[in-house]
């Protein structure tokens, strides 16, 4: 039977890898929706190759460019945020949710209401919506499969029927390009240096998040929601070789880990094949050639984002949204060379101290999972924090 697959963020790092893997292992599949942000050329090429039922570009100013590129193809196209959400909410069998940042929240939420398997790469939507996103997927008969390599590793080795026998989850972190540097040394790092990840090839936002360890902070929160585990039972260990992708430590003394080369196609292929494993020309681990695998405790004084993420998780869902929003604005400001590397964490910490969280009543909580109202809470906080951080940037400029 033909499987219908939608890809949200098809022109990004995860989206492109997903399409390549589908060529290799997808079996009988058809593309329902391809959704991109701004890259008209790549989206048009993908549309011509895969002939999706709908092709959507988020940026409305490029509507005519997309129309011209696809003229005469007979393909249905649309532009703008509403069209993105409508396409994401179309019936399909599997959705790869791989838009970056909070921009992914509404489309991922729409996809969560379709009953499809949700291969979730867009970690920011989970960090902001907590368990509501997972509950929405399950209430509609779907299933969340984590794409993030650490969570995919845990998903593969966690015995859900014996969760009470789990001592802790251990997330591994490469440490990024600046691992081993002191806080003083980090003051001078450049955007170019931060964009050079030693092991993984990824989009710009997550690459900066890896350099500050905010990525591991987001992953800590992601793990707590995905596996319904308290933050105290989730540890982070620096493992610069990125071979052990994460572990579950059981109370009987056994730790189960998933190993593999640092290549996102491995967890993506697991999601595409689930519940079976697919056979493809996957890169192999060379255990003997590897020589050493090392592990170290994270340095939270040089990399405070991990501590801040832990504090946000302890404070609750509203605060994880604050952490995410402030980080997203600061990463963009760093990429635009408006703030320095160390200022990312400084502004995030200030935003966490100053944000006014709306109180959510228990009624809001129970009505959260089913309707669009479910994400209004997160979107309100996100908007408030963006204004707050913009004001902080503005006052900082007045004082120089
Ligand atoms: P990327 O920047 O390479 O791609 C992002 C995609 O989102 C692009 O297709 C872009 O066009 C699209 N997009 C951006 N803004 C949009 C908008 N407003 N509306 C619709 N589409 C929009 O990012 P990536 O590295 O592929 O990461 C995607 C997500 O997966 C992120 O949340 C990231 O944290 C997560 N993730 C990525 C990796 C990785 O190895 N790249 C690993 C784990 C998790
Ligand atoms: Mg990861």
């Amino acid at each position: 039977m033909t499987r219908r697959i939608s890809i949200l963020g098809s022109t990004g790092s995860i989206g492109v890898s997903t399409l390549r893997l589908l060529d290799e292992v997808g079996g009988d599949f058809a593309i329902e929706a391809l959704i991109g942000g701004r890259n008209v050329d790549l989206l048009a090429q993908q549309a011509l190759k895969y002939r999706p039922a709908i092709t959507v570009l988020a940026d409305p100013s490029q509507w005519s460019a997309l129309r011209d590129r696809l003229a005469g193809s007979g393909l249905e196209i649309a532009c703008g945020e509403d069209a993105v959400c409508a396409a994401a909410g179309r019936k399909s069998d599997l959705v790869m949710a791989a838009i970056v940042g909070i921009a992914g929240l509404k489309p991922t939420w729409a996809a969560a209401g379709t009953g499809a398997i949700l291969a979730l790469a867009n970690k920011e939507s989970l960090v902001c919506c907590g368990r509501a996103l997972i509950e929405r997927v399950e209430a509609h008969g779907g299933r969340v499969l984590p794409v993030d390599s650490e969570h995919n590793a845990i998903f593969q080795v966690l015995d859900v029927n014996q969760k009470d026998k789990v001592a802790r989850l251990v997330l591994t972190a490469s440490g990024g390009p600046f691992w081993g540097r002191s806080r003083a040394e980090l003051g001078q790092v450049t955007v170019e240096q931060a964009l050079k990840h030693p092991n993984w090839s990824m989009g710009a936002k997550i690459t900066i998040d890896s350099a500050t360890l905010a990525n591991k902070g987001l992953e800590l929160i992601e793990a707590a929601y995905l596996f319904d585990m308290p933050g105290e039972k989730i540890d982070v260990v620096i493992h610069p070789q990125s071979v052990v992708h994460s572990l579950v430590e059981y109370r009987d003394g056994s730790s189960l880990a998933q190993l593999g080369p640092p290549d996102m196609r491995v967890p993506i292929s697991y999601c595409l094949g689930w519940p079976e494993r697919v056979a493809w020309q996957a890169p192999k681990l060379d255990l003997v050639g590897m020589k050493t695998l090392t592990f170290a405790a994270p340095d939270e004084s040089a990399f405070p984002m991990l501590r801040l993420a832990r504090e946000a998780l302890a404070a609750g869902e509203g605060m994880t949204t604050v952490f995410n929003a402030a980080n997203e604005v600061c990463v963009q400001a760093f990429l635009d060379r408006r703030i320095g590397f160390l200022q990312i964490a400084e502004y995030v910490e200030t935003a966490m101290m100053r944000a006014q969280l709306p109180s959510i009543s228990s009624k809001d909580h129970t009505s959260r999972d089913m309707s669009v109202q479910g994400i209004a809470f997160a979107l309100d906080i996100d908007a408030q924090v963006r204004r707050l951080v913009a004001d902080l940037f503005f006052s900082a400029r007045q004082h120089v």
Side-chain angles (χ1 to χ4, degrees), residues 96-113:
M96 170 57 74
I99 293 174
V100 60
I102 194 77
L105 177 55
K106 281 192 200 167
T108 303
W109 187 261

Side-chain angles (χ1 to χ4, degrees), residues 324-336:
N324 181 71
N327 177 56
E328 212 170 302
V329 178
C330 290
V331 168
Q332 194 55 55
F334 173 69
L335 285 168
D336 297 341

